Amino acid sequence: MDALDRKILAELQLDGRLTVTELAARVQLSVSPCHRRLRDLEREGAIRGYRAVVDPAAVGLDFEALVFATLRWESPDTVTAFEEAVAGIPHVLQAQRLFGEPDYLLRVATSDLVAFQQLYDQQLARLPGVQRLTSTLVMKNVIDDRPLPE
């Protein structure tokens, strides 16, 4: 990956709806080579996909919490079962496995505190292998969905 590929990625992170012609102009390249580089970046997996970034508040998900999960290490299957169960909960927007303790960080969005409490009690606390959950409420997103640095 060279500097031109990185410039293409930077432009697409700012506006994923650019046409190839607009992208080529922004990176100062003719359309055909720009299109070829774009397809190569997609094929190689540098570009994983395209999507709309939706404001959670616009769809009624005004409440966000970070949930830290510590697991009981019963067997290697505990991790697999936990991760598969978390993947099945739509309100978990991100799940990251961590080194050390806690074992996981979950970013959760719900409509309000009552909905979060129900999700916590009925689904999160019942996840396989959970020893302890701790939560903190997000007051404000200062940096959200920032493009990767060049």
Side-chain angles (χ1 to χ4, degrees), residues 51-70:
R51 63 184 176 93
V53 178
V54 178
D55 179 3
V59 294
L61 297 174
D62 295 311
F63 188 87
E64 189 174 324
L66 301 176
V67 179
F68 302 92
T70 301

Side-chain angles (χ1 to χ4, degrees), residues 29-73:
L29 196 62
S30 62
V31 174
S32 289
C34 182
H35 190 258
R36 193 168 32 257
R37 283 176 175 264
L38 181 59
R39 294 294 166 240
D40 288 345
L41 289 167
E42 291 170 346
R43 189 175 49 257
E44 294 165 3
I47 297 173
R48 296 190 307 199
Y50 300 89
R51 63 184 176 93
V53 178
V54 178
D55 179 3
V59 294
L61 297 174
D62 295 311
F63 188 87
E64 189 174 324
L66 301 176
V67 179
F68 302 92
T70 301
L71 302 186
R72 291 183 307 275
W73 294 100

